Amino acid sequence: MTAGSAPSNPAVLPPVIAIDGPSASGKGAVASRVAAALGFHYLDSGAIYRAAALAVARAALDPARSGQEALADLVGRMPLSFSAGRVILDAEDVTDSIRSEECGRQASLVAALPLVRLALLARQRAFRQPPGLVADGRDMASVVFPDARLKVFLTASAEVRAERRYKQLMDKGIHANIAQLLQDIRHRDERDSSRATAPLQKAAGAYELDTSSLTIDHAVAWVLERYERQQSS
Ligand code: DC
C-alpha cells in the first residue's frame, strides 16, 4: 500500500475517526476523549514524530543536514512503544520530554521529510485495531487513513492556541513567554502547511470545527454527534 492509497477492502477494517489540525488546536484532548467515550483505540501521531525527533537528536543526526535516507532508516527502526498512555523509546519513558517546545520544533523539521513520513506510515496504520480508532495529527484524513469514517479538521486562532499552550506549560510548572509561544505557533503552522508532502490542510470531506470559543466538552460532544449521525446515515 502506498501513501494516500485506500486499503483494498475498507469494509472489513475497523472504523477510523480522523482528527487533524494545527498545533494546540485541542485535537489531542478531543481525540483521546472521543476514543474513551467510544471504547476505541487512540493514536497520537504527533507523539510518533516527536519521538522520531528525539531519536534523531540522540543519534547526533541533524534533520536539516543529515541525508533523508539515514534519517528515515533510523526512525523506521526506532524501538518505540505506547503503554498505558506512556511513550517508551528505547526502554526509556520519554512521555514528558517529547512535550517540550524544542522537541515540537524538531519534530516539525523531521516531519517535513517525505522519506521519514513514509518510514512512519505502517507504524501509524498498525493502530487500526477493533473496535475502532481515533487518530489525531496533520494528515490522518488525507494520507494515513483516507478511508476514515469521519474526518474532522479542528482549528482555533493562533492567539487562543498560544494562550492554551501557555496555560498547559504553567500548569506543569514550566516558565513560558506568551509572545514567544505565539511566534513559535505561527512558524510551525507555516512550516507544517507549506511543506510539499502531506501538508497540514483540511482534507476533502472533512468537517471543520473552530474551537476558539468552545470548551473541550463541547468539541467532544460535537464529534460524537457527527459520528453517530454518520453511523445512522
Ligand atoms: O501534534 P504535535 O504538535 O504533537 O506534532 C508535532 C509535530 O509533528 C508538528 O509540528 C508536525 C508533525 N506532525 C506531522 O507532520 N504529522 C502528523 N500526523 C503529526 C505531527
Side-chain angles (χ1 to χ4, degrees):
M1 205 188 303
T2 56
S5 68
S8 48
N9 189 357
V12 297
L13 291 170
V16 174
I17 298 177
I19 302 184
D20 291 304
S23 195
S25 57
K27 61 190 187 314
V30 173
S32 58
R33 283 172 57 176
V34 168
L38 295 170
F40 281 13
H41 298 278
Y42 168 55
L43 165 62
D44 169 5
S45 63
I48 295 183
Y49 283 96
R50 285 168 181 268
L54 195 57
V56 164
R58 286 182 174 176
L61 293 177
D62 181 341
R65 289 187 186 77
S66 307
Q68 257 200 74
E69 283 83 2
L71 293 166
D73 182 55
L74 178 84
V75 305
R77 288 186 293 102
M78 65 178 169
L80 177 69
S81 60
F82 292 80
S83 167
R86 309 302 294 175
V87 186
I88 313 296
L89 177 65
D90 221 350
E92 185 193 334
D93 187 332
V94 295
T95 317
D96 297 325
S97 48
I98 61 168
R99 290 293 143 206
S100 72
E101 291 303 297
E102 178 54 20
C103 195
R105 249 191 306 274
Q106 294 301 317
S108 175
L109 289 172
V110 166
L113 304 171
L115 289 183
V116 165
R117 302 196 73 84
L118 197 59
L120 295 175
L121 202 53
R123 215 184 265 267
Q124 294 172 81
R125 287 186 174 150
F127 278 77
R128 188 178 199 165
Q129 299 290 335
L133 174 70
V134 183
D136 90 53
R138 306 291 190 288
D139 60 342
M140 297 298 98
S142 55
V143 175
V144 183
F145 304 109
D147 63 331
R149 191 76 58 86
L150 175 65
K151 300 180 178 185
V152 177
F153 191 71
L154 280 194
T155 59
S157 71
E159 288 76 10
V160 166
R161 289 185 284 130
E163 231 169 83
R164 285 180 186 162
R165 184 71 93 205
Y166 180 77
K167 280 191 193 134
Q168 280 170 0
L169 291 171
M170 294 308 269
D171 284 350
K172 286 189 206 154
I174 301 171
H175 174 75
N177 174 314
I178 197 149
Q180 182 64 50
L181 287 174
L182 181 58
Q183 199 184 50
D184 282 356
I185 276 181
R186 289 196 168 126
H187 278 154
R188 197 116 71 85
D189 282 357
E190 168 63 22
R191 188 161 46 224
D192 293 346
S193 311
S194 62
R195 68 182 176 220
T197 308
L200 165 68
Q201 60 184 14
K202 184 178 157 206
Y207 294 97
E208 184 164 344
L209 179 65
D210 186 332
T211 66
S212 299
S213 54
L214 290 185
T215 63
I216 297 290
D217 282 348
H218 279 120
V220 169
W222 187 92
V223 174
L224 287 172
E225 196 195 311
R226 288 275 148 171
Y227 185 63
E228 265 161 39
R229 253 196 261 167
Q230 204 96 340
Q231 293 297 82
S232 53
S233 65

